[in-house]
Amino acid sequence: MSSKKQHRTSLKDLAKELNVSIATVSRALRNSSEIGEEMQRRVKDLAKKMNYRPNPFAQSLRKEAPKIIGVVVPNLVTHYYAAVLDGIEDEARKSGYSVISANSHEDCDIEAQAVDNFLSLHVEGIIACLAQTTTDYSHFEEISAMGIPLVFFGRTCLSDRFSSVTANGDEAAQMATQHLIDTGSRRIAFIGGPNHLDMVQRRKHGYLEALRENRIPIERDLVVCNKIDYQVALEETVRLLQSPHRPDAILAFNDIITFAAFTAIKQLALRIPEDVALIGFTDDAHAAYVTPRMSAIEDQSHLMGATACQMLLNHIQGDTKVCKKIVPQQLMIRETSAKNKKE
């Protein structure tokens, strides 16, 4: 977190800089005919230079504007992000805050626009999970420069500036891979997302560590890190399973990839787990209800949301220390992972 005190440019700041009244500045920004074109231009140029953002609530509320937190997630329709948001809302409500959310649809440009919209709404702080296409962090750097509290969860960046809540994906992936090895699997594939995401790096690292510890050769062809997309993951899984030396187990990065892999195995008329064992990182309740029932690494997503919100509220209240918290994941062994029934 930046220790710089949060300050948003006000009408008063603009008026002082131009040595005119607040009313003049306000009218100029509203294109009032009472203000000449030259003054309108000077006011608008200064407003842009000083990063002035009008408060849409200020015109309709005489008392203090509502206390609002902005949340941006990559895919709001998945159970994981919905559950995280639920945890954020529950925690925010206890402290009198409202929550507005935005779905980046895994797109960096949409994510940046959402952040900009939040700033225009004068939110008290922001909670974010990176879109998979985000490699330019300038929109978050702007938040840091403005001193606005921001907390990342799940997928993070700028770790020296912002607090974050993550899961122990490396340990969980290693534990899941070890379970696959202990129950008869040897050619274990990892199907992940883009390599630049820290969440992908952690989970892939745990998978590789388990292979190394068991002296199982690492085969590059079995490590597939591509776009987080159902159709892409489905096609990648089919490609792997139709190769001459197909994997006999799959560790899947998240719920989208997990169920794409599950579908691909079924489409090829392979048996789970006898032909291909499967464990996925998923917070989806459907894991327990498909046939066979899905072995899964499950996030405590509601707790992750509540933890991120509490961390943000601490920052809003003045705590400038960068904090890192880990919410442990849980390995749930069901029916898709054990080739033999002895462990």
Side-chain angles (χ1 to χ4, degrees):
M1 288 295 301
S2 171
S3 59
K4 188 176 180 179
K5 184 177 179 181
Q6 179 179 343
H7 177 74
R8 294 184 174 90
T9 301
S10 65
L11 291 176
K12 183 178 179 180
D13 295 328
L14 298 178
K16 182 178 180 180
E17 186 74 18
L18 293 167
N19 197 27
V20 297
S21 70
I22 293 175
T24 295
V25 171
S26 178
R27 293 189 184 105
L29 291 173
R30 289 186 285 110
N31 300 315
S32 172
S33 59
E34 299 175 40
I35 306 299
E37 291 183 5
E38 174 62 19
M39 178 56 71
Q40 286 191 33
R41 183 190 62 77
R42 289 178 59 200
V43 170
K44 291 175 182 177
D45 286 349
L46 182 62
K48 183 176 181 180
K49 179 180 177 182
M50 295 181 68
N51 199 27
Y52 169 74
R53 296 172 181 274
N55 186 341
F57 298 109
Q59 297 175 359
S60 59
L61 299 174
R62 293 184 178 180
K63 59 183 181 179
E64 185 179 358
K67 297 190 296 183
I68 298 175
I69 291 170
V71 181
V72 57
V73 300
N75 190 343
L76 193 53
V77 299
T78 66
H79 186 271
Y80 169 72
Y81 291 113
V84 170
L85 183 60
D86 193 56
I88 293 170
E89 290 177 339
D90 283 351
E91 194 65 28
R93 192 179 304 114
K94 295 175 186 177
S95 298
Y97 282 79
S98 297
V99 174
I100 53 175
S101 60
N103 189 348
S104 73
H105 299 280
E106 296 282 13
D107 186 287
C108 181
D109 291 336
I110 297 175
E111 174 186 271
Q113 184 60 58
V115 169
D116 192 63
N117 291 341
F118 287 157
L119 296 179
S120 294
L121 289 170
H122 288 225
V123 297
E124 299 288 320
I126 295 172
I127 298 173
C129 180
L130 291 180
Q132 64 174 308
T133 63
T134 300
T135 54
D136 175 4
Y137 308 127
S138 56
H139 48 300
F140 294 119
E141 290 171 340
E142 178 186 1
I143 293 175
S144 178
M146 295 175 70
I148 297 171
L150 182 148
V151 170
F152 285 106
F153 75 90
R155 311 174 192 168
T156 74
C157 67
L158 304 174
S159 59
D160 59 326
R161 303 189 196 183
F162 295 113
S163 294
S164 63
V165 182
T166 56
N168 60 335
D170 50 349
E171 296 175 9
Q174 186 168 355
M175 188 183 307
T177 306
Q178 186 64 52
H179 163 73
L180 290 169
I181 294 169
D182 290 343
T183 54
S185 296
R186 287 297 177 269
R187 302 195 74 249
I188 303 168
F190 175 80
I191 305 181
N195 277 310
H196 68 270
L197 292 176
D198 59 336
M199 181 186 283
V200 174
Q201 294 168 12
R202 287 191 296 270
R203 296 178 181 184
K204 183 168 68 171
H205 175 76
Y207 154 80
L208 294 173
E209 281 298 295
L211 296 183
R212 291 188 187 101
E213 286 193 0
N214 289 272
R215 298 183 179 179
I216 295 176
I218 296 170
E219 301 181 51
R220 290 187 178 182
D221 290 345
L222 296 182
V223 182
V224 179
C225 291
N226 207 324
K227 183 179 180 182
I228 302 172
D229 176 84
Y230 182 87
Q231 189 60 37
V232 170
L234 181 69
E235 293 170 0
E236 291 284 17
T237 306
V238 169
R239 181 184 62 78
L240 280 173
L241 296 177
Q242 289 182 332
S243 64
H245 303 288
R246 72 173 185 229
D248 61 1
I250 293 172
L251 177 64
F253 168 72
N254 71 351
D255 49 359
I256 292 172
I257 293 175
T258 296
F259 286 100
F262 184 86
T263 301
I265 297 168
K266 291 278 193 176
Q267 284 182 355
L268 294 174
L270 296 170
R271 298 170 300 162
I272 305 173
E274 292 84 359
D275 296 322
V276 185
L278 177 63
I279 296 181
F281 282 84
T282 175
D283 199 46
D284 199 321
H286 293 103
Y289 299 110
V290 294
T291 302
R293 295 184 305 137
M294 182 79 68
S295 293
I297 305 158
E298 298 183 352
D299 283 286
Q300 299 185 72
S301 46
H302 187 279
L303 177 60
M304 180 168 283
T307 302
C309 186
Q310 186 55 62
M311 193 178 285
L312 182 69
L313 293 174
N314 289 341
H315 289 319
I316 290 172
Q317 293 164 10
D319 182 2
T320 59
K321 182 180 178 181
V322 175
C323 299
K324 311 291 180 190
K325 289 191 177 181
I326 295 176
V327 176
Q329 295 173 305
Q330 301 169 321
L331 178 59
M332 305 297 292
I333 302 302
R334 298 189 179 98
E335 297 171 352
T336 63
S337 57
K339 289 186 179 303
N340 60 62
K341 303 305 178 183
K342 297 179 181 180
E343 294 190 50

